[in-house]
Amino acid sequence: MLFWKRKPKDPGPPTHGPDFSHVDSLEKALALVEAGELEVLYLMPPEFGGPEDPRNIVYVPVGIAEIKYSTDMNIIAPLVESGNVQHYAAVPEYRGRSFIPMAIKIEATDPGRFESEINIWGEALDREDELELEP
């Protein structure tokens, strides 16, 4: 018996908030950067040793990079300096084929734990913002 793989369904436009589902390529994202609608965000900030590498860069609406930078410098950096955390990860979550992440999850661990999520668009906007810090 043969089974055919089906293409995953396109989730369609979000029910509210901004819609970046049409930005499905690097070229479209860069055009929106040129238009001033999007900006570069480093997943691992250069201050933490993040490389100038396409795998470390995502494109987000203007203002989101400052939110992440503030979290990294004002919360994560002091935790690193005090020895409360040693590991860091910022992981983008995508919706459909969009090149623009709908959320970025930040996690710093070992021995303590800090988690935060930056909700950008789509279903992510329906989530509650949570900040957690465990000693």
Side-chain angles (χ1 to χ4, degrees):
M1 180 184 265
L2 293 174
F3 292 95
W4 299 99
K5 284 187 173 181
R6 290 186 181 191
K7 285 174 62 174
K9 281 191 162 187
D10 185 346
T15 56
H16 64 278
D19 181 5
F20 292 100
S21 55
H22 65 284
V23 185
D24 57 3
S25 69
L26 176 60
E27 292 76 22
K28 290 178 182 177
L30 291 174
L32 290 176
V33 169
E34 288 287 322
E37 294 180 41
L38 297 178
E39 63 185 347
V40 170
L41 180 144
Y42 290 93
L43 295 171
M44 173 70 73
E47 292 83 357
F48 294 178
E52 183 76 35
D53 181 292
R55 294 171 292 186
N56 190 39
I57 295 172
V58 294
Y59 300 91
V60 295
V62 172
I64 300 294
E66 179 58 35
I67 293 169
K68 181 174 178 301
Y69 182 81
S70 179
T71 301
D72 290 338
M73 295 303 113
N74 297 317
I75 298 172
I76 306 293
L79 291 172
V80 170
E81 289 171 9
S82 69
N84 286 326
V85 297
Q86 295 180 10
H87 298 108
Y88 175 89
V91 180
E93 177 185 356
Y94 292 92
R95 182 181 192 275
R97 294 182 179 176
S98 180
F99 209 76
I100 310 307
M102 73 173 191
I104 298 173
K105 182 175 183 177
I106 300 169
E107 185 176 70
T109 60
D110 191 22
R113 179 176 206 81
F114 172 83
E115 292 181 358
S116 180
E117 188 169 289
I118 301 171
N119 299 317
I120 301 169
W121 71 283
E123 291 79 25
L125 294 178
D126 296 331
R127 300 177 191 158
E128 287 184 11
D129 293 340
E130 295 180 12
L131 294 177
E132 289 183 27
L133 178 60
E134 297 173 12

